[in-house]
Amino acid sequence: MKRAKRGCGLATERQPRGEAEGRERGREIRRQQETGGLGEGEEGGETPRGAEEWVGGPPSLAGLAFGGSGTPCGEKRKAGSPGGTGSRREEREEPREGPGAGKGSPRGLPGMGGAASLSAPRALVLWAALGAAAHIGPAPDPADWWSYKENLQGNFVPGPPFWGLVNAAWSLCAVGKRQSPVDVELKRVLYDPFLPPLRLSTGGEKLRGTLYNTGRHVSFLPAPRPVVNVSGGPLLYSHRLSELRLLFGARDGAGSEHQINHQGFSAEVQLIHFNQELYGNLSAASRGPNGLAILSLFVNVAGSSNPFLSRLLNRDTITRISYKNDAYFLQDLSLELLFPESFGFITYQGSLSTPPCSETVTWILIDRVLNITSLQMHSLRLLSQNPPSQIFQSLSGNGRPLQPLAHRALRGNRDPRHPERRCRGPNYRLHVDGAPHGR
């Protein structure tokens, strides 16, 4: 059943908010980051700027094809550095007097005295504390401790003075065997005829929430109500939407985290969910089995635009989040409009693509591409990673490099032996609430 066309633009109206309500909105954003923010540590970041602002109120590109038919469906410390072993003096030293007295002070920590008897972990903590004390200005935000390093195959390297303290917590980013994103070779996809269609539940209500510039990507954080759930496909449980994340590149055709047959896309939309039947929030779910589910939709630049993305990327909205920590509240969103009319999907077991890289994610890659206009993509590339007081650096190129697929299975709900078949029927539609024909 085709859906009715809807306008892409929506008149907005700013309503003044009191100081108390602004503070309450800031607290809500922090709570969402603590319990629903994904991957950038366990703590919430700064309160987004502008969070007190409120507003009222397809054919895609050639779809990915199984078999290529073109159908619509188808850092280590050096030895001797502080906190390390280093070289020892064999000669005996005379006792010293004063507060710095002690045996065998490390060469790298002159005057520390008794600190020489500390164990290696305690010495590391002490060294990190000294580095933090020597830091001029405010302490760095936890979200700024790491960066992408392509020459390290997507491992995350924390910045000083916290390198030793954070590496242990994020060790999966370097040594994990089920890391994401990956390059999906369609010839490796196994057809699974028992995969049911995807189901979306919104309680019959429109979605509302905060569009947020995190300094790494564009994020939409849904309000606590209505609760948006996804189920079906490879999912054994109902998963609750926690965040919509948009990643994009500096040039067309490159910017998505995942690739299909070594082909990238201009952007990637990731819908991040946690298992609400087994866990109370996203933080707990990211540490347990069957904890997370991420639906991924690819985006390219074309003459038309997906109606849901048009609402997020129209000029009046996108200019409100130009700088890091800027936020803008939206409402009356129909999430089902984000999905194509019909589609297949590919699923595999992977990880978060941001620290701590927990390997508890069921990825579901939608195999039909969405569109946005070149003007909307240009507006995204004008967003800054930094606050307005710092030098502009585009938010583009904000995805993690590809990780090895190794021996993981790729499953799909479309038979690669019959690439001429188009995605038709209820199994290739998004089932919304109790709609009889999918939408």
Side-chain angles (χ1 to χ4, degrees):
M1 184 178 78
K2 295 185 178 180
R3 61 170 179 260
K5 294 185 178 180
R6 306 194 181 194
C8 296
L10 183 67
T12 58
E13 178 181 356
R14 294 185 57 186
Q15 302 176 8
R17 310 299 297 175
E19 182 179 353
E21 296 186 33
R23 287 196 298 269
E24 177 61 28
R25 185 63 192 151
R27 285 193 292 269
E28 179 182 343
I29 294 296
R30 281 193 291 270
R31 286 195 299 270
Q32 290 177 341
Q33 287 181 293
E34 291 170 359
T35 61
L38 184 63
E40 298 181 356
E42 295 295 332
E43 302 178 7
E46 305 171 47
T47 303
R49 298 173 60 245
E52 73 283 2
E53 298 180 353
W54 296 65
V55 297
S60 64
L61 294 181
L64 304 180
F66 291 87
S69 68
T71 58
C73 296
E75 177 162 291
K76 293 183 179 179
R77 269 192 308 278
K78 297 179 181 179
S81 62
T85 305
S87 59
R88 288 188 173 183
R89 290 185 176 182
E90 296 297 329
E91 64 272 23
R92 297 178 59 186
E93 298 188 22
E94 296 296 328
R96 294 177 294 174
E97 298 181 357
K103 292 185 179 181
S105 296
R107 292 184 179 182
L109 301 174
M112 288 184 61
S117 61
L118 291 176
S119 63
R122 292 186 178 182
L124 177 60
V125 172
L126 179 58
W127 179 258
L130 288 174
H135 180 75
I136 299 176
D141 190 288
D144 295 327
W145 288 0
W146 59 269
S147 62
Y148 296 102
K149 297 294 181 183
E150 291 202 31
N151 58 326
L152 296 180
Q153 298 180 348
N155 294 340
F156 297 91
V157 180
F162 305 98
W163 57 84
L165 302 179
V166 185
N167 268 337
W170 296 347
S171 59
L172 273 178
C173 301
V175 302
K177 302 301 181 184
R178 297 193 303 168
Q179 291 292 293
S180 298
V182 299
D183 176 33
V184 175
E185 294 186 63
L186 295 179
K187 66 182 180 181
R188 296 185 59 177
V189 176
L190 302 174
Y191 170 55
D192 188 345
F194 300 104
L195 284 172
L198 293 174
R199 298 183 177 275
L200 180 70
S201 174
T202 63
E205 300 182 48
K206 299 288 187 178
L207 188 64
R208 60 192 183 96
T210 302
L211 192 65
Y212 179 29
N213 181 340
T214 69
R216 297 193 185 278
H217 43 253
V218 175
S219 175
F220 177 78
L221 304 175
R225 293 289 183 273
V227 174
V228 177
N229 300 325
V230 67
S231 59
L235 304 177
L236 302 178
Y237 303 90
S238 176
H239 288 65
R240 177 174 176 174
L241 179 64
S242 177
E243 179 184 359
L244 183 151
R245 183 174 295 179
L246 178 59
L247 305 102
F248 52 93
R251 60 182 177 84
D252 294 352
S256 62
E257 288 194 315
H258 288 84
Q259 293 184 10
I260 306 294
N261 282 346
H262 314 296
Q263 173 192 352
F265 302 87
S266 300
E268 183 173 339
V269 178
Q270 296 175 356
L271 298 165
I272 302 162
H273 308 74
F274 71 90
N275 187 332
Q276 64 175 359
E277 296 187 42
L278 299 182
Y279 306 98
N281 54 53
L282 187 140
S283 179
S286 67
R287 298 189 293 267
N290 297 310
L292 304 176
I294 303 181
L295 272 65
S296 179
L297 298 102
F298 299 112
V299 183
N300 269 337
V301 175
S304 60
S305 178
N306 174 271
F308 183 89
L309 294 179
S310 289
R311 178 71 191 284
L312 264 60
L313 303 180
N314 71 67
R315 178 179 175 83
D316 187 70
T317 301
I318 201 67
T319 54
R320 306 297 183 99
I321 59 165
S322 297
Y323 301 99
K324 180 179 179 180
N325 296 323
D326 283 354
Y328 193 56
F329 193 84
L330 293 170
Q331 55 188 7
D332 295 327
L333 298 172
S334 298
L335 185 61
E336 62 269 21
L337 297 180
L338 177 63
F339 292 82
E341 286 283 355
S342 62
F343 58 87
F345 59 81
I346 303 165
T347 181
Y348 77 98
Q349 297 299 312
S351 74
L352 300 177
S353 59
T354 54
C357 306
S358 305
E359 296 181 334
T360 61
V361 180
T362 298
W363 282 90
I364 303 174
L365 312 179
I366 305 302
D367 74 353
R368 191 174 183 189
V369 184
L370 305 178
N371 292 339
I372 60 174
T373 66
S374 58
L375 181 60
Q376 291 168 342
M377 179 58 73
H378 180 67
S379 298
L380 284 172
R381 293 168 181 158
L382 290 179
L383 301 180
S384 177
Q385 296 183 19
N386 300 319
S389 58
Q390 299 180 12
I391 296 175
F392 171 83
Q393 186 174 0
S394 175
L395 206 60
S396 60
N398 46 7
R400 187 186 187 190
L402 293 171
Q403 304 296 300
L405 179 63
H407 300 290
R408 283 177 284 176
L410 298 167
R411 293 187 296 152
N413 69 337
R414 192 165 168 273
D415 193 346
R417 297 170 299 180
H418 301 283
E420 72 283 355
R421 293 181 182 174
R422 304 171 69 88
C423 292
R424 294 174 179 169
N427 284 344
Y428 301 105
R429 293 182 181 273
L430 181 70
H431 290 241
V432 181
D433 294 324
H437 297 290
R439 289 184 187 273

